[in-house]
Amino acid sequence: QVQLVESGGGLVQAGGSLRLSCAASGLTFSTYAMGWFRQAPGKEREFVAAISWSGLSTKYADSVKGRFTISRDNAENTVYRQMNSPKPKDTAVYYCAARKSFSGWYSGLDMDYWGKGLLVTVSS
């Protein structure tokens, strides 16, 4: 049974930093591209970032480029999302996702697995 478990959420002040983790189990982690999505109150879920199985390639939404960094540790079956200089508009539930392919992430469709999500609140 595949599980993606997010951790590290909570309250952060604007301009601070926060790191989210997603621990995966039940799948061959090093063969999956991993990524993050978010859903703000009253809005649709949107793509945030993705990283290839090797960690050599990354993709970012324009809204987070230069502020968020995605990374992974295949030995620990964990993917990370570092959030620097967060803004109140980054407040959302953040979801971890896994997909065999590194293509098709922007649409958010056809992800193989999803985490349950974690709330991040950025205070001004």
Side-chain angles (χ1 to χ4, degrees):
Q1 171 185 355
V2 175
Q3 283 191 308
L4 302 180
V5 180
E6 301 98 337
S7 62
L11 180 65
V12 61
Q13 222 167 1
S17 64
L18 187 70
R19 189 175 81 160
L20 295 188
S21 302
C22 171
S25 61
L27 75 169
T28 306
F29 183 76
S30 61
T31 67
Y32 280 81
M34 300 295 296
W36 294 91
F37 290 80
R38 68 184 180 185
Q39 187 166 18
K43 295 190 176 181
E44 294 188 354
R45 187 159 55 190
E46 64 174 358
F47 169 75
V48 174
I51 188 166
S52 63
W53 64 268
S54 66
L56 295 179
S57 298
T58 56
K59 303 181 185 186
Y60 294 94
D62 288 343
S63 58
V64 306
K65 214 172 278 185
R67 299 188 300 119
F68 288 15
T69 302
I70 188 170
S71 60
R72 66 189 295 160
D73 184 338
N74 286 346
E76 296 293 330
N77 287 2
T78 302
V79 61
Y80 304 98
R81 193 231 59 201
Q82 179 71 32
M83 173 195 269
N84 293 326
S85 302
K87 304 174 183 180
K89 67 177 182 178
D90 294 319
T91 294
V93 175
Y94 283 79
Y95 297 89
C96 177
R99 188 165 193 253
K100 271 287 188 177
S101 174
F102 191 48
S103 63
W105 277 83
Y106 291 105
S107 70
L109 301 174
D110 300 325
M111 293 297 115
D112 293 317
Y113 303 105
W114 289 96
K116 292 184 178 180
L118 194 67
L119 178 63
V120 173
T121 303
V122 183
S123 64
S124 57

